[in-house]
Amino acid sequence: MAHGQAGRFAPSPTGPLHLGSLYTALASYLDARARNHDWLVRIDDLDEPRTEPGAEACILRALESHGLHWDRPVQRQSARLDAYRSALSELHRRGCLYYCTCSRRELRHAPIYPGTCRGRTAPVPDAAVRVRVENAAPKFTDLLQGGQVTPLRLVVGDFIVSRRDGIVAYQLATAMDDSEPDIATVVRGRDLLDNTPRQIHLMTLLGRSPPAYAHLPLIVGRDGRKLSKQTGAGPVDSSVPLANIRNCLVFLGLADAPDASLEDLLDWAVGRWELDRIPRNDQVVERHPPA
């Protein structure tokens, strides 16, 4: 069945939904609804060592309890391994890949990969796979962050597309998924902005078109670090969804929300949604904001 255009929210099942991830989900949802697009949920579950049992179900329940209902069956990256392997085969056939045996210890003082293994074009055991960037300098205009141009050779160098443990790397999987023809706009956090040029580079090599991007300011603690499981952000309290949505709307420039039910509040926010309303600075909250 053919589908119309869509936006997406793509959490990793490494823990429960917290305020920062709810904020991102809400922004993605409102943007899709305001454009009359479908809203999709994709679980980025390729990194099995980091996956927390029960986290996916917990995330989905939290989204539903906050009125954020997706329009198609939940997608999972673990179900698309054939597509990712096909992309790797195409890149290898075109001479874009090579095998890297450098350890993290060897590269600890090299933020830009120096190309040590560029001559290893044939498979070798216990190796990651890197894609050549040559002189690629992807350009795009972010709907929130403005014009971007990144000379990859000077910023990251050749980067990994398949890990040493055989897991397809985030950059390749996300590039494949976000360049599906129905994905129109990707709304996600500003912390992922530096991944976008790498993903666009892969899309270009594979003859695919990138979506539009809007990278949101972050929700951070008083220490300036993004709210996350790693920095001590507690799970969002799904027993008070209306209060949580109101808090997130303030961060998204919709502080004048009326007293309304959850469903009516979301409908109101869709009608008022404009990316230009979103404050451009990161928003500071306590690590465990009160309900």
Side-chain angles (χ1 to χ4, degrees), residues 190-202:
R190 183 178 53 77
D191 56 316
L192 298 175
L193 182 61
D194 62 354
N195 289 321
T196 305
R198 283 174 268 187
Q199 292 163 15
I200 291 176
H201 177 57
L202 290 169

Side-chain angles (χ1 to χ4, degrees), residues 70-275:
W70 47 95
D71 297 303
R72 305 180 198 168
V74 172
Q75 303 170 353
R76 294 172 183 83
Q77 288 190 326
S78 57
R80 284 179 45 80
L81 295 179
D82 287 347
Y84 307 146
R85 289 170 182 147
S86 177
L88 284 169
S89 296
E90 174 64 14
L91 292 170
H92 183 73
R93 185 186 67 78
R94 296 183 52 196
C96 300
L97 305 181
Y98 61 92
Y99 295 82
C100 176
T101 57
C102 297
S103 67
R104 289 187 178 181
R105 179 180 177 82
E106 290 170 329
L107 297 176
R108 66 187 184 280
H109 299 306
I112 300 171
Y113 182 68
T116 307
C117 295
R118 273 192 147 216
R120 291 197 173 105
T121 56
V124 295
D126 193 28
V129 181
R130 291 184 183 269
V131 64
R132 302 175 190 274
V133 301
E134 306 298 351
N135 293 315
K139 298 179 182 180
F140 69 102
T141 300
D142 189 85
L143 298 175
L144 285 169
Q145 306 296 332
Q148 308 287 320
V149 56
T150 305
L152 292 173
R153 181 173 57 85
L154 303 179
V155 176
V156 293
D158 302 337
F159 57 91
I160 290 173
V161 290
S162 182
R163 295 177 1 183
R164 187 184 294 261
D165 58 9
I167 294 176
V168 174
Y170 166 80
Q171 304 296 352
L172 178 64
T174 302
M176 288 291 291
D177 293 343
D178 286 347
S179 61
E180 286 296 301
D182 57 341
I183 301 298
T185 308
V186 168
V187 178
R188 60 187 181 184
R190 183 178 53 77
D191 56 316
L192 298 175
L193 182 61
D194 62 354
N195 289 321
T196 305
R198 283 174 268 187
Q199 292 163 15
I200 291 176
H201 177 57
L202 290 169
M203 293 174 192
T204 301
L205 290 176
L206 293 164
R208 300 167 76 98
S209 298
Y213 290 96
H215 286 85
L216 298 163
L218 303 179
I219 306 298
V220 301
R222 295 196 178 279
D223 56 4
R225 294 190 298 165
K226 175 192 171 186
L227 285 194
S228 69
K229 178 182 175 183
Q230 287 74 25
T231 59
V236 69
D237 183 355
S238 291
S239 70
V240 287
L242 193 57
N244 295 332
I245 292 294
R246 284 184 175 280
N247 285 341
C248 291
L249 289 176
V250 172
F251 300 145
L252 294 169
L254 294 169
D256 55 339
D259 290 329
S261 68
L262 181 59
E263 182 178 357
D264 288 344
L265 182 61
L266 290 170
D267 286 344
W268 173 87
V270 169
R272 298 289 301 278
W273 178 256
E274 294 179 13
L275 288 171

Side-chain angles (χ1 to χ4, degrees), residues 54-62:
E56 177 186 325
C58 182
I59 290 168
L60 296 178
R61 284 195 303 270

